[in-house]
Every structure is written in C-alpha cells, then in structure tokens.
Amino acid sequence: MTISQIKKHLILLFIITSTLGFAQTKFKSVLNSESDFNTLKTTPVTNKYGNVDALKVVFDIKEKQLYFINSKVYKYHYRFCKGYLEIPETLQQFNGSNYKAQHPKKRFLLGNINHYLANDSYNLELSPIDEMQISDIKTFYEAIKKATYFKTFNFFLNTARLEKLESVLDIPTLSASDLYGDQTYQAVSTQKNYGCLKFVSVDSLKHENITKHDIIVIDQPILELPITAGVITTILQTPLSHISVLGKNRQIPIAAYTKAMQSDILKSYDNQYVSFEVALDTFYIKPISKEQFERKTKKKKKTTLFLEKNTNAKSLINADDLSQKSVNTVGGKAANFGVLYDLAKKEDFKIPESAFAIPFYYYEAHLKASGADTLVKQMVYDYKINQDTKTLSKQLKAIQKRIKKTPLNPDLIAKVEAKIKSLGNDMRMRFRSSTNAEDIVGFSGAGLYDSKTGIVGSDKKPVEKAIKKVWSSLWYERAFLERDYFSIDQNSIAMGVLVHRSFPNEKANGVAITKNLYRKNYLGNVINVQVGEASVVQPEDGVTCDQIICYSGSSSKLYNEKRIVEIISHSNLNNGELVMTEAEIIKLSEQLEKIKKHYYYNVYKSKKKYLEFGLDIEFKLDGEDRQLYIKQVRYFND
C-alpha cells in the first residue's frame, strides 16, 4: 500500500467507525452527566429564547420505560416511536392519541428537555398542543428527575392552560416571564456585516459622528435607529419593536446581549474594524484589517427607486372609496385601510370610525405655497453631491419650519372640519401619516413619520396644526436617511393623511405578525400586546409586554380544536396576568388569519409560501366592552 492509499483507508475507516458509533446511540435511559446530555442534544425546533440546548424525551406508559432520544438522529418524537419502537400508527393517528389528555390508544408522554445556558437550568417543556393531564405531568416529571443528574429541574408553564394549573401541580415550575427575564442573549436580526465597532450612549447618539459603517454597542433603549452597519444592545427586544422591524428591513445584524458593557472582548475591539455576525444562539465578532473592511464595504451602485405620485385627486376621499389602488394618491396606510374597510363588513372586527383621507394634492399645494418645494429640491441635490449630514439636518429643519409656519388653505380646513362633523359625533380625531414610501413591499417605514391628534374647535389641538405636523414629519432626518438608504428618490415622495376618530379609552393595544417568527414555515400568529396606551413598539426602559403565539384560525384541525395560547413573556404592567383573555386572543388570531388570506390571495398575490408570508397588523381593544379594532395593516418585510 502506498502512503496515499493508507491515508484514504484510514479516513474511510474513521468515517465508518464514527457513523456506526453515532448510529448506535439512538437513545439513553439514564443521563448520568452533562456529557450524556451533550451526546444527544440538538438545537430546539423553535427559537423563542437564545442560548438553549434541547433533547427530546419519551415515556412509554405501557412499558414504564423512559427514552432520552438522540435528537440528531430523530428530529421528532414520532420518528423515534415509528423507527425504533416500530409503532403501527400514522403521524395523524399518533398525534391524535398521544397529545390528548385521555385516549384509549394513548401510549406515550412526549416532551423536550431544554437546557437554558443563561441560568444553567433544565426544564421540561410540552408541545403547546399537548393536553397532558396533571397526574401524567407529575409522573413524567418525576421519572425524568429520577433518571438524570439535573440539579435544577423545572416544569415550564408555556401555555395559558398550564399557567392555570401551577397551584395544583406540586412540582417546581418556571413561568415564561422568569425565563424571558433570565435571558442574556437574543438574536434580533440574523445577518452578517462589516464595520467599525463603537461604544455609544443614547444621549450622544445624535451628536456623535455615527456612520453607516459603524457597529454600535449601546446600553439604553433606542427610540430611533440610526443608519448603521449593526447594533449590539443590552436591552432585550420584542420581535415587533421598531428596532427589530427596521433591522430586518435593512438586513443588518442586531443582537441583544445584556452583558455587552462588561465584555472585555467587545471592549478590546472598540474603534476597530470587525466582522459582526448574529446567529440564533450567539454572535461572532472578529477583527479585520482596514483593507478587508474597504473591500467588504465597497460601495455598490444601487438603482434609484422612483415612486408614483398622483396629485390629480383634489377632494377628500371617503373610507369606502379607498382601495389598494389608492397608494399613489393617498399613500400605503390609507390604501390598506380601504381594504380593511371592506373586510370589516363581513368579518368580526371593527375599524376606526369617521374615517377619510386627505390626498397628496393638498400636501403638494401647501409645499408650493410655503416655498418648501424649492428647499426640498435644493436639499436633495446638495446631499447627493456633498453627503454632509450636518448641513442636511439644518436644511430638513428649515423645510419642516416652512411647512408648519405657513397658514393652511382655509378651504381645506373648512372641508376637513365639515367632513368630520358629517361622519358622526367624534370631534377628537387622529391624523395619521400615509406616504407612498410607507407600508409597501420592500419598505416598511415603521416609526419614521408622525401621527397627531386634532380636535375640531380646539385652540390647543386644532385640526390645522395636526395636519401640518404630520406633513412636516415627512422631512424628519430619520425618515430622509432611511429612504436614502433604500435609494428612494426623495423628490418622488408625498404625504397623504388618514383621518379617523381617536381612542382615548383603549384597554389594550398591540401589534401582530401573521406568521410564526420562531419556527420557519410553521403555523402561528405572533402577538405582542400591552395594557392601555403603553407602547409595544417603543417601550420604556424595563417595560415588557405580553408576547404570545396563537394558532387559532389556521388550516390545521389539530391546532384549531385545542385553542392554544402559547406564552413567551408577560407584561410587567399587568400583575402577571395576560392583558387579553384567552377568548380575546383566540378571536384576534382567527381574524388575523382571515385578513392574511385576503391579502395573500387578493391584494399581494404573493409567490411566497403561505406560511412564510406575513402581515404587520396593529390592533386595539376599546371601551368597556373591549371591542376588537384593527387599526392598520402593512406588508411584513423580513
């Protein structure tokens, strides 16, 4: 044998031996050490929390036998029971019997053991669809505890059903809020980028020279996300916060790491060029040379996106005359409201009353009357040439000042106030931004523009002031730079206004995404909700909201029959109780699914798989009867 042949023989022998050794460990009946756990572990099928190792476990009720499954070999419980235990059932039969509380053919107790590295605890978690009864939960828990080395072992209360059973379980339990609060790492936007790492404070964020090639480390809530190459924040984020939405929209890496400010590794890279990659369980920071940085960030020519702007509509537009075709006349928000208006007639939700839209024509006319149109053209030209953000900031403020200081056409004020009076008794109205650079495919615009309250006959909050403030927000620096980042032609944008009655008595408000953000290509609506008017998308420091996954309304009979409310975290403003009742959450999820189907098949006619298609939907519960209102729909760009 030649040396080359010997090497090939040894490599082949190693592969065969390794494969055989791997295949032989299909399960263990006892876990004596962390090494045993690591032999079997894999990543969880859902990524609700960061830094988690998981393995699947089966208890055979009939044989009183426990199986800690090699989760690298058997991805699902059924595959192990079918492949190793040779059960005769189909998947549908298996799920139908073993996830029931009681069933004549129920043979297995099924669960996952998750090792949360943040607090070094092991926790038994059931599938959200599992209706396992109290006695079986205790049997399952005790059998695992007896067969493992775990020092800290809890039963995870991951659904509203299980939370209600906590007082009678009589075993150590862990709530979603406990687990969420113990996290030290969270992947917000899983991307990779290159830039200069900088530690910054929120107070100095606007004054420091932060560029699009900087990766910032920050330890306070960010209300506005500057154009950067990446973000490491010490504040955990909801998936629907403005930072999360904008990060995914921009496709830049963002991670929450609570110990970032104490990290010697991160500090050692301060003001250095690095590569930054966010993965589900960790992030990677590596130093790179200036040459590598310049090569990786070499400017690529982008195609300028020119938006359509129709200024022919010279009268206010009723809600029932708005449709998806209205985007070029009144903007994305108002256009989507028109679709909702039609849906609300046949579905079980309301939309804000007394609604109408102010088209682009009036914005353009006011821009010319104020002289701001000339300033806009000059500013856009100047920024293209010089890229000077300090000069840009001054010019943008000058434009906003012109828009707000110039008196509004009295005829428009009269028309708006007359329209409000003709639609009902509500005189307190919400004037909401609706641009052609907002709520569209490829560009969310979340948090860029303002909405204002205007009251007919009020001196403090007149209608005129509200309209002009909304219009002027089109030229906020954050809005201009976000559009510039996406190469949107700034001269082609315009601001419409969606008007409807305000909500001074809302009991809850929230945002939902009509896709499962934690498990790819899977059922579920992700719902974030908060009490009263407390913000979900821009929470105050230390404030968390309810984060829920609900499966009701889906095409799955298995999930629909069980009416599942899976909990990720609780609002800390509601004494540990869910902000919405289970019935309210289930009704919301059912309505979300109907809205999603309509938009998928009739509005966007998307080529995405249905489960991967998502809408970003704002909702409220209003009044003493807690009536469900759907306030806004936009395409979810991720």
Side-chain angles (χ1 to χ4, degrees):
M1 255 189 198
T2 65
I3 292 176
S4 175
Q5 287 173 322
I6 291 171
K7 282 184 178 179
K8 286 181 181 179
H9 178 74
L10 289 173
I11 290 170
L12 182 61
L13 185 62
F14 173 78
I15 292 171
I16 292 170
T17 306
S18 299
T19 304
L20 286 172
F22 180 74
Q24 284 169 356
T25 313
K26 292 182 177 179
F27 72 91
K28 288 181 181 288
S29 299
V30 177
L31 298 180
N32 291 312
S33 65
E34 190 171 350
S35 176
D36 286 347
F37 183 91
N38 291 340
T39 300
L40 308 175
K41 73 176 183 181
T42 186
T43 54
V45 293
T46 65
N47 57 313
K48 296 178 293 184
Y49 307 101
N51 282 337
V52 185
D53 291 328
L55 66 78
K56 300 197 174 301
V57 58
V58 172
F59 183 74
D60 189 331
I61 302 170
K62 181 180 175 182
E63 303 294 335
K64 307 291 185 191
Q65 177 65 48
L66 196 62
Y67 298 95
F68 297 103
I69 304 169
N70 189 330
S71 301
K72 301 179 186 75
V73 178
Y74 302 104
K75 189 175 181 181
Y76 303 108
H77 295 97
Y78 174 72
R79 289 184 183 175
F80 173 77
C81 295
K82 184 75 173 178
Y84 183 77
L85 299 179
E86 299 181 345
I87 60 168
E89 290 98 336
T90 64
L91 176 61
Q92 187 175 0
Q93 291 169 334
F94 178 85
N95 289 340
S97 60
N98 291 294
Y99 287 119
K100 291 278 189 183
Q102 290 180 310
H103 191 280
K105 293 187 178 180
K106 184 181 177 81
R107 179 180 166 184
F108 302 108
L109 303 180
L110 311 168
N112 297 306
I113 297 174
N114 295 327
H115 181 202
Y116 294 97
L117 305 181
N119 58 14
D120 193 26
S121 70
Y122 293 86
N123 301 278
L124 172 60
E125 181 174 356
L126 306 183
S127 167
I129 63 171
D130 202 324
E131 297 171 339
M132 194 182 297
Q133 58 190 354
I134 295 171
S135 59
D136 284 341
I137 291 173
K138 290 181 177 180
T139 297
F140 200 18
Y141 174 88
E142 294 297 344
I144 295 170
K145 185 178 179 181
K146 192 180 294 185
T148 57
Y149 63 93
F150 306 151
K151 291 180 181 178
T152 305
F153 184 45
N154 306 298
F155 179 68
F156 181 33
L157 307 169
N158 63 332
T159 64
R161 178 187 82 90
L162 292 175
E163 284 195 337
K164 291 175 183 176
L165 299 178
E166 181 180 12
S167 61
V168 294
L169 280 172
D170 198 30
I171 56 176
T173 59
L174 191 75
S175 73
S177 291
D178 294 332
L179 203 52
Y180 186 80
D182 283 341
Q183 286 187 100
T184 57
Y185 174 76
Q186 180 189 51
V188 178
S189 177
T190 52
Q191 300 287 340
K192 184 176 182 178
N193 212 347
Y194 306 86
C196 181
L197 190 73
K198 289 184 179 179
F199 282 74
V200 298
S201 66
V202 168
D203 295 335
S204 62
L205 201 54
K206 284 191 174 182
H207 306 296
E208 288 193 32
N209 186 25
I210 304 299
T211 76
K212 63 183 178 181
H213 293 310
D214 290 332
I215 295 165
I216 62 172
V217 184
I218 197 158
D219 66 348
Q220 297 170 62
I222 313 173
L223 297 182
E224 296 178 21
L225 182 63
I227 302 297
T228 62
V231 180
I232 300 172
T233 173
T234 60
I235 310 296
L236 296 176
Q237 301 292 315
T238 68
L240 311 186
S241 70
H242 281 329
I243 295 176
S244 301
V245 171
L246 288 173
K248 289 175 181 176
N249 207 185
R250 295 177 192 170
Q251 297 186 329
I252 60 169
I254 300 180
Y257 180 45
T258 60
K259 299 179 180 180
M261 291 299 171
Q262 291 81 48
S263 171
D264 291 333
I265 294 176
L266 286 178
K267 287 178 182 177
S268 70
Y269 295 145
D270 191 18
N271 288 310
Q272 291 190 36
Y273 293 116
V274 297
S275 67
F276 173 42
E277 181 178 6
V278 174
L280 290 177
D281 281 332
T282 188
F283 66 88
Y284 303 94
I285 290 275
K286 296 178 183 178
I288 59 174
S289 66
K290 185 179 180 181
E291 291 72 26
Q292 285 177 299
F293 164 76
E294 289 173 347
R295 187 170 66 251
K296 292 289 186 180
T297 58
K298 189 176 181 181
K299 192 172 182 179
K300 297 176 183 176
K301 190 174 181 180
K302 292 183 179 179
T303 303
T304 302
L305 176 61
F306 294 90
L307 303 176
E308 291 187 46
K309 179 172 62 175
N310 182 347
T311 58
N312 294 325
K314 299 180 181 180
S315 59
L316 304 180
I317 303 174
N318 292 328
D320 58 352
D321 290 324
L322 295 169
S323 70
Q324 196 61 29
K325 295 179 181 178
S326 307
V327 173
N328 304 328
T329 305
V330 293
K333 191 176 293 175
N336 279 321
F337 191 89
V339 178
L340 278 177
Y341 183 90
D342 292 334
L343 275 175
K345 294 175 184 177
K346 55 184 179 180
E347 304 300 349
D348 194 12
F349 66 84
K350 288 188 174 184
I351 55 170
E353 294 87 354
S354 300
F356 63 95
I358 304 172
F360 294 160
Y361 166 78
Y362 293 101
Y363 162 79
E364 289 284 320
H366 185 76
L367 207 64
K368 289 176 183 175
S370 68
D373 60 332
T374 303
L375 293 182
V376 167
K377 289 175 183 175
Q378 180 57 43
M379 174 199 62
V380 172
Y381 175 79
D382 180 71
Y383 187 70
K384 279 182 180 178
I385 301 299
N386 300 309
Q387 296 288 299
D388 184 349
T389 53
K390 288 185 179 179
T391 301
L392 173 70
S393 183
K394 289 179 182 178
Q395 291 174 321
L396 287 166
K397 287 176 182 176
I399 292 167
Q400 292 168 47
K401 188 175 180 179
R402 285 277 185 100
I403 292 172
K404 288 187 282 190
K405 291 293 183 182
T406 302
L408 204 59
N409 186 327
D411 182 54
L412 175 59
I413 299 174
K415 284 181 178 179
V416 169
E417 292 189 344
K419 174 67 73 176
I420 292 169
K421 292 174 182 177
S422 73
L423 291 172
N425 298 321
D426 291 303
M427 297 296 111
R428 184 186 181 92
M429 307 298 284
R430 195 68 175 161
F431 292 78
R432 305 179 62 203
S433 67
S434 182
T435 79
N436 53 350
E438 182 180 14
D439 296 1
I440 57 177
V441 177
F443 190 81
S444 141
L448 297 183
Y449 315 110
D450 273 357
S451 296
K452 295 294 177 181
T453 296
I455 305 171
V456 176
S458 170
D459 292 329
K460 288 185 177 180
K461 293 190 175 184
V463 165
E464 177 181 13
K465 187 177 180 181
I467 293 171
K468 290 193 292 186
K469 279 191 171 182
V470 172
W471 280 346
S472 68
S473 71
L474 187 63
W475 299 107
Y476 282 161
E477 186 173 349
R478 65 178 184 241
F480 181 94
L481 292 174
E482 191 75 20
R483 295 191 299 264
D484 181 67
Y485 183 84
F486 283 88
S487 297
I488 294 174
D489 178 68
Q490 305 280 358
N491 286 309
S492 68
I493 62 168
M495 175 74 83
V497 183
L498 172 63
V499 187
H500 58 63
R501 67 101 165 174
S502 69
F503 287 80
N505 193 31
E506 60 189 274
K507 302 301 179 184
N509 81 98
V511 181
I513 301 296
T514 61
K515 63 180 285 188
N516 195 324
L517 301 177
Y518 300 102
R519 188 169 179 179
K520 189 174 176 60
N521 201 30
Y522 205 72
L523 305 168
N525 295 306
V526 175
I527 300 166
N528 286 189
V529 62
Q530 190 56 280
V531 293
E533 297 179 354
S535 179
V536 166
V537 296
Q538 290 185 331
E540 294 182 11
D541 191 10
V543 174
T544 59
C545 65
D546 280 358
Q547 295 186 65
I548 298 157
I549 306 174
C550 190
Y551 304 86
S552 294
S554 70
S555 57
S556 169
K557 184 180 177 182
L558 179 66
Y559 277 85
N560 277 326
E561 287 178 344
K562 295 175 184 287
R563 298 168 70 82
I564 303 155
V565 175
E566 186 176 4
I567 301 169
I568 299 172
S569 71
H570 278 290
S571 165
N572 57 2
L573 302 180
N574 203 44
N575 301 316
E577 299 291 326
L578 287 173
V579 173
M580 297 170 69
T581 66
E582 286 183 72
E584 288 170 342
I585 294 166
I586 288 161
K587 175 184 174 179
L588 170 62
S589 186
E590 289 170 348
Q591 297 306 304
L592 292 174
E593 201 64 35
K594 290 178 179 180
I595 296 169
K596 175 177 178 174
K597 284 179 182 175
H598 181 81
Y599 272 83
Y600 181 81
Y601 291 109
N602 302 301
V603 177
Y604 293 113
K605 299 175 182 176
S606 180
K607 293 181 180 178
K608 277 187 173 183
K609 290 180 180 178
Y610 182 76
L611 291 176
E612 285 302 295
F613 170 81
L615 297 171
D616 178 339
I617 298 179
E618 292 185 23
F619 64 90
K620 293 181 183 293
L621 296 185
D622 189 59
E624 295 306 318
D625 60 350
R626 297 170 67 88
Q627 178 65 53
L628 173 62
Y629 279 82
I630 302 296
K631 180 184 169 187
Q632 178 177 330
V633 173
R634 62 161 65 101
Y635 186 94
F636 182 62
N637 295 288
D638 63 343

